[in-house]
Amino acid sequence: MFPISKILQRDMELFYDDLGAESGFCQGDSGEILISDFTEYNPLHNGHFHCMKTAKSMFPDSLFVAVVPGLFERSGRGIPYILPREVRAEIAVSVGADIVVEGPPMGIMGSGQYSLCLCQMFKALNTDYIPRGYKPVEGMDEILKRINRGHHIASRPYKIVDKTTGETLLKGKLEEDNYVITSFSNSLSKIGFDYTDKFIFVERIEGVSGTLIRESIQQDDFDKVMDMMPSKTIEVLKREIKNDSIIYGIRDEQGILNTANTYSIKELSELNLFNEKLARNIKDNGPYNDLETLEKSILQGFSSHFRQRILSILENPIPKKTISEYIDKYPSTIRILAYKNSESLEKFKEKINNENTSLLRLRG
């Protein structure tokens, strides 16, 4: 297996290359309909496939562009992905995507930060439609209707508000899929992107269990999940297991410990999502010889996955000031991970009209 430290080192170089790149965006106007879907494909299952098929059936001649999170291979929960992004892109193209582009480094960002980056990507791609899966719950239909009218919907502590009208639409918290939709609405409004009638809301299907899928991968036994994923996903998973290329749960332990043990309180407190209290607590309980001890010293944050995010930041120590600069310029480069054929690639380039596009070949 390609050592995880090599992947992270390469991605750190890509991060700073993007940070230093000059934006090459121009307004494209090819007339091509572009559907842009963001999803982690971790791995691509029938829920993802259903959303893709539904959107493509509505606009058969469109370009379907999947935005797959990239740099540092950590999910929005801060946890290492099951498969590297070039493999996730391969599966996406095999089941119907025309183009797969690299999304933002989710694992080292807060949810608001990567939501903003994703929305800037939608804008850079000249996106016409955005498919999103949702779970039908009481009050959600009204929220979706207002979003497709272009209303600025935002999540607030324990309520969902319509900032266009000043109304509270729902009290309480939304589940993850539904929360992502309101987060997109909020971020798209912030960047001035008119999303009126651009969302394609697809009711989430039942019968897919991420927990069972992860267990099947760890046990190399897919009998219980054969009906949860496209056959291509299972085929590639079996191939990657055989090649010892599954990266789920694998971290650069030595890199994390080195950051925690050698950075000063000031240096730690300047990292993304850190503050002085967290930095001081880590230093006061060090030095560390293992991740388990270090993880216990990380104060509980605003989410159940906060500690995993902090481990990912210690693994890839980037100051919050640098992250802010990166977000302001994002996406300075449209990095293409995979594409169906040369015709799709040319249509895509004409649609986005961006000087800074590149093809990424991650495997040697």
Side-chain angles (χ1 to χ4, degrees):
M1 180 175 64
F2 198 59
I4 197 68
S5 58
K6 294 282 189 182
I7 294 175
L8 299 180
Q9 180 182 355
R10 175 209 61 203
D11 285 358
M12 188 66 79
E13 292 173 0
L14 290 172
F15 176 90
Y16 280 102
D17 284 347
D18 290 346
L19 185 65
E22 294 296 327
S23 175
F25 293 115
C26 306
Q27 185 62 44
D29 188 21
S30 67
E32 198 78 36
I33 294 176
L34 188 146
I35 300 173
S36 182
D37 182 27
F38 159 75
T39 187
E40 296 177 276
Y41 292 152
N42 188 38
L44 191 152
H45 55 59
N46 285 346
H48 302 130
F49 190 35
H50 173 66
C51 190
M52 180 190 294
K53 287 190 297 183
T54 299
K56 285 171 65 70
S57 69
M58 295 174 66
F59 301 97
D61 297 324
S62 63
L63 277 174
F64 189 96
V65 180
V67 181
V68 172
L71 297 174
F72 310 118
E73 300 293 0
R74 270 75 187 115
S75 73
R77 299 177 179 182
I79 299 170
Y81 283 121
I82 292 167
L83 297 167
R85 59 193 182 275
E86 77 273 24
V87 183
R88 288 181 281 141
E90 173 195 343
I91 297 172
V93 167
S94 74
V95 300
D98 296 295
I99 304 287
V100 182
V101 300
E102 183 183 87
M106 293 181 67
I108 62 167
M109 289 181 167
S111 58
Q113 291 176 319
Y114 67 71
S115 177
L116 188 59
C117 283
L118 285 167
C119 291
Q120 289 171 182
M121 176 65 83
F122 290 149
K123 187 174 183 178
L125 294 176
N126 293 313
T127 300
D128 295 296
Y129 296 100
I130 304 169
R132 287 308 307 168
Y134 76 97
K135 185 172 183 178
V137 296
E138 187 176 353
M140 196 63 197
D141 282 348
E142 182 62 24
I143 291 172
L144 300 184
K145 287 178 184 176
R146 295 199 184 207
I147 287 174
N148 260 344
R149 291 180 197 147
H151 287 216
H152 182 179
I153 307 299
S155 298
R156 293 291 179 262
Y158 302 103
K159 63 181 180 180
I160 308 300
V161 299
D162 184 334
K163 296 186 71 175
T164 302
T165 65
E167 297 171 86
T168 295
L169 302 181
L170 191 68
K171 292 185 178 180
K173 290 185 176 181
L174 290 174
E175 293 190 34
E176 186 172 356
D177 287 349
N178 294 350
Y179 171 81
V180 167
I181 291 171
T182 59
S183 181
F184 280 170
S185 167
N186 190 39
S187 296
L188 287 168
S189 296
K190 286 182 177 179
I191 65 172
F193 184 87
D194 183 5
Y195 50 88
T196 303
D197 292 327
K198 286 187 178 292
F199 277 97
I200 301 171
F201 294 119
V202 181
E203 185 173 331
R204 194 174 70 179
I205 63 171
E206 300 297 328
V208 176
S209 168
T211 299
L212 284 178
I213 289 173
R214 286 188 291 272
E215 288 177 358
S216 73
I217 294 166
Q218 291 171 314
Q219 298 167 7
D220 192 10
D221 182 358
F222 294 90
D223 288 346
K224 295 180 180 178
V225 297
M226 293 295 289
D227 294 332
M228 296 183 187
M229 295 178 283
S231 59
K232 183 63 177 182
T233 298
I234 295 174
E235 175 189 326
V236 171
L237 282 169
K238 288 181 176 180
R239 182 193 76 196
E240 296 302 301
I241 290 170
K242 183 178 180 180
N243 293 337
D244 194 24
S245 297
I246 301 295
I247 61 173
Y248 181 67
I250 300 176
R251 289 192 178 277
D252 179 11
E253 182 171 346
Q254 193 53 52
I256 294 171
L257 295 175
N258 182 66
T259 302
N261 289 333
T262 63
Y263 273 43
S264 66
I265 291 176
K266 182 177 183 297
E267 288 172 319
L268 286 175
S269 64
E270 290 174 348
L271 297 178
N272 203 37
L273 303 189
F274 269 74
N275 56 33
E276 186 174 344
K277 183 179 180 181
L278 173 59
R280 189 173 296 280
N281 199 68
I282 288 175
K283 294 306 293 184
D284 287 348
N285 288 284
Y288 304 96
N289 296 314
D290 60 83
L291 290 190
E292 183 178 359
T293 306
L294 170 58
E295 188 172 346
K296 290 177 180 177
S297 75
I298 299 173
L299 300 171
Q300 186 60 48
F302 51 84
S303 76
S304 58
H305 305 288
F306 182 71
R307 287 175 172 167
Q308 292 300 316
R309 285 189 178 187
I310 293 301
L311 287 180
S312 290
I313 290 166
L314 291 170
E315 195 173 30
N316 307 282
I318 301 174
K320 63 187 73 174
K321 181 180 178 181
T322 304
I323 292 288
S324 293
E325 293 172 359
Y326 179 86
I327 293 170
D328 288 342
K329 298 185 68 173
Y330 189 85
S332 60
T333 302
I334 303 293
R335 192 169 290 118
I336 302 167
L337 299 177
Y339 57 94
K340 183 172 70 176
N341 53 41
S342 57
E343 180 183 1
S344 296
L345 181 61
E346 289 308 310
K347 286 181 178 180
F348 174 71
K349 288 183 176 180
E350 184 179 355
K351 172 70 175 181
I352 65 170
N353 194 19
N354 188 322
E355 297 174 5
N356 290 353
T357 57
S358 66
L359 296 175
L360 186 61
R361 291 289 180 262
L362 298 180
R363 290 186 168 181

